[in-house]
Amino acid sequence: MISTLSRIVRRQPVACPAGESVGRAIARMREHSIGSMIVVDEESVPIGILTLRDVVDRVALKPGALEAPIADFMTPHPVTLPVQETAYAAALAMVRHGVRHIVLVDGAKLAGLVSERDLFGLQSTGVRHLSTEIKGAKDLSAINRFGADIRDLACRMIAQGMAVGPLTAFIASLNDLLTERIVELEFAVAGLHRPRWCWVVMGSEGRSEQTLVTDQDNGIIFVPAPGQDVADARAALLPVARRINQALDRAGYRLCPGDIMAGNPKWCLSLDEWRARFASWIDSGSPEALLHGAIFFDLRPLAGELSLGRELRAWLAVHAPANPRFLHQMAGNALANRAPLSWLGGFRTGADGSIDLKLNGATLFVDAARIFSLAYGIDECNTERRLRAAAPPLKLPATELEAWIGAFHYVQGQRLRRQAECLAQGLAPLNRVDPRALNDFDRAVLRGALQRTRALQHRVALDYQA
């Protein structure tokens, strides 16, 4: 899944001009034993695609269709990706857009085609089918089972050995689709046309790093309509937000124990109120601000008017680096949490002989990446992308960067495997693991991964004098 698409493409792409007849295009598809025909313009730029499904759905029963130009029946604006992208980027695009083919381009010109069978084989059926069903859900009664379906699919991928980066990206994308559909359905039922609003997600969901067990961290950004009072706008949004929170809970995404949810008036705020709230946290540096920073600075717009969330993130990227005292306090707070290792390299376990791979493992990477992103005005939420974007200003050697990212993914992978084991046994998913229960290899690699946090935290301490 980390291979480039250029290595996966199996044949030269077959294409035709927009004026070619549907009958001729179908004959060429049969001649080449392919399931789709790419339509290009005079410059070999892809402008559409006709698949066998399109032939069945649009062509077969249409009189005179075979003589018509393919432009009349193609799907315009096919989903494209650069040929240098990775396989899992293509897989995510298929999930996101509900398609079976991704057209590859070099610059703007056609370079190839990759299908779901190329990427997944038989596994594709589950991924595509689930994403299609989520998008097509007509009401909330059809939504409730999808959370469990996503977890079941993720457990199968874990058992098949899928790499952690692509796996968590899949989980996040399917969770995003499910949340978006719930939000769409609830707002449609409410018939609410004002104020302008944006549903935002935070915490692990904001970072696209959810595992098999997660609770909700979400909010709403809104802008009142002309002449509409802020309090009235909030009062109109809150009942919808609470129904969405309850629907997500029924689908398996637990209500947040700290009530950091859009149905709470504290987190259903106008754009100006959100700016003021973030400014107060950054400027005060209070314990509450540091606590909220671990959740709210990972804010990501998901549904509605996404520009409102992007505007807030752009403001944050300018305001946060301007307050070094806040960054110093964030660093100090992060460094209070250390890897569960002794100076001699052994594991420091709890009374039950286990270590917490979330609190004392993954969180160490997440916190450091967040500090780097705030310090350098990096508009990213995902931990890996934050670290990659911070590497140039940090003057970080490529080998060190890849060691940090590899260690983070290894810890995340152990968390996922542990959670899957618990689910298979009918237990609540846990993040705690007993190092003695691991084989010698996994125990040694886990120790090495946790040791990388010492270099990471040393860099945080050095740069922010914590």
Side-chain angles (χ1 to χ4, degrees):
M1 294 301 287
I2 62 174
S3 300
T4 60
L5 292 170
S6 60
R7 295 178 57 188
I8 294 173
V9 175
R10 297 181 177 180
R11 64 170 79 194
Q12 290 295 315
V14 179
C16 73
E20 184 165 300
S21 71
V22 173
R24 174 59 182 152
I26 294 174
R28 291 180 62 202
M29 289 166 64
R30 181 176 182 180
E31 177 186 343
H32 292 279
S33 300
I34 56 177
S36 61
M37 176 64 71
I38 306 167
V39 185
V40 296
D41 64 12
E42 296 82 357
E43 303 296 326
S44 293
V45 175
I47 59 172
I49 187 170
L50 184 78
T51 68
L52 289 178
R53 175 166 293 224
D54 296 331
V55 172
V56 173
D57 292 344
R58 304 175 191 173
V59 176
L61 301 179
K62 185 85 171 180
L66 295 180
E67 291 75 35
I70 193 171
D72 292 353
F73 291 91
M74 71 182 187
T75 299
H77 313 298
V79 180
T80 63
L81 281 177
V83 72
Q84 297 84 9
E85 267 289 5
T86 62
Y88 94 81
L92 286 178
M94 288 180 185
V95 171
R96 193 72 178 161
H97 297 284
V99 298
R100 300 180 177 187
H101 301 83
I102 301 293
V103 177
L104 307 183
V105 292
D106 187 357
K109 294 187 176 183
L110 176 64
L113 182 77
V114 65
S115 71
E116 62 178 0
R117 186 172 294 278
D118 295 330
L119 296 180
F120 302 114
L122 295 177
Q123 191 184 78
S124 64
T125 304
V127 176
R128 181 189 56 78
H129 179 71
L130 184 52
S131 64
T132 301
E133 283 209 336
I134 291 172
K135 286 184 174 184
K138 300 299 183 184
D139 53 52
L140 290 173
S141 63
I143 287 285
N144 294 346
R145 63 184 176 84
F146 289 134
D149 289 345
I150 292 170
R151 284 189 293 277
D152 289 344
L153 179 60
C155 286
R156 293 202 301 273
M157 290 179 170
I158 291 169
Q160 292 167 7
M162 176 175 276
V164 174
L167 175 58
T168 53
F170 270 118
I171 295 172
S173 288
L174 289 169
N175 287 340
D176 280 356
L177 284 179
L178 180 55
T179 302
E180 286 178 56
R181 191 60 184 145
I182 290 174
V183 172
E184 289 170 358
L185 289 170
E186 284 291 5
F187 269 95
V189 169
L192 191 63
H193 302 296
R194 64 176 204 162
R196 297 161 54 202
W197 58 271
C198 176
W199 185 272
V200 296
V201 291
M202 298 167 285
S204 62
E205 187 175 5
R207 298 190 305 273
S208 299
E209 292 167 2
Q210 291 164 295
T211 55
L212 302 182
V213 56
T214 186
D215 54 21
Q216 299 179 48
D217 289 310
N218 47 54
I220 288 180
I221 305 169
F222 66 86
V223 173
Q228 186 180 33
D229 184 74
V230 170
D232 290 341
R234 187 173 7 259
L237 289 165
L238 282 172
V240 187
R242 288 170 182 146
R243 290 197 298 272
I244 293 170
N245 290 145
Q246 292 296 330
L248 286 167
D249 182 58
R250 292 193 298 273
Y253 304 94
R254 303 173 307 185
L255 297 173
C256 175
D259 204 16
I260 299 176
M261 294 182 292
N264 182 343
K266 290 176 63 177
W267 313 122
C268 180
L269 304 174
S270 72
L271 181 58
D272 289 338
E273 288 174 328
W274 276 108
R275 286 197 194 100
R277 186 67 56 89
F278 274 110
S280 69
W281 290 336
I282 293 170
D283 296 337
S284 73
S286 65
E288 180 193 33
L290 299 176
L291 179 64
H292 285 143
I295 300 173
F296 288 89
F297 288 117
D298 298 340
L299 176 148
R300 176 169 61 91
L302 181 64
E305 196 166 329
L306 303 184
S307 61
L308 298 179
R310 292 170 184 149
E311 185 175 342
L312 180 59
R313 285 202 57 83
W315 175 88
L316 182 61
V318 173
H319 197 79
N323 194 321
R325 181 175 64 87
F326 178 70
L327 295 175
H328 170 84
Q329 291 170 317
M330 286 277 289
N333 196 54
L335 293 175
N337 182 20
R338 299 285 183 172
L341 296 173
S342 69
W343 285 109
L344 296 177
F347 290 100
R348 287 191 290 105
T349 62
D352 62 351
S354 69
I355 58 177
D356 190 324
L357 291 178
K358 177 182 179 181
L359 179 62
N360 302 123
T363 298
L364 306 181
F365 297 95
V366 170
D367 286 348
R370 183 185 300 112
I371 291 167
F372 293 147
S373 72
L374 291 172
Y376 294 111
I378 295 168
D379 190 14
E380 291 282 3
C381 293
N382 177 265
T383 297
E384 177 178 348
R385 291 197 294 270
R386 281 172 165 172
L387 290 174
R388 291 195 182 282
L394 287 171
K395 295 181 172 57
L396 192 68
T399 52
E400 185 73 2
L401 170 66
E402 296 303 330
W404 288 355
I405 292 170
F408 171 64
H409 283 319
Y410 185 81
V411 172
Q412 287 285 76
Q414 286 292 344
R415 285 182 64 198
L416 286 164
R417 283 187 282 276
R418 177 62 178 139
Q419 291 175 7
E421 288 173 1
C422 292
L423 288 172
Q425 297 169 19
L427 304 173
L430 298 174
N431 288 303
R432 302 194 69 90
V433 64
D434 184 344
R436 296 168 300 182
L438 301 175
N439 62 50
D440 290 347
F441 176 80
D442 280 333
R443 188 163 52 248
V445 178
L446 177 60
R447 183 185 298 110
L450 293 174
Q451 284 172 341
R452 300 312 308 169
T453 65
R454 289 176 173 171
L456 181 61
Q457 291 191 320
H458 176 73
R459 187 57 186 262
V460 171
L462 185 66
D463 288 0
Y464 305 103
Q465 302 176 0

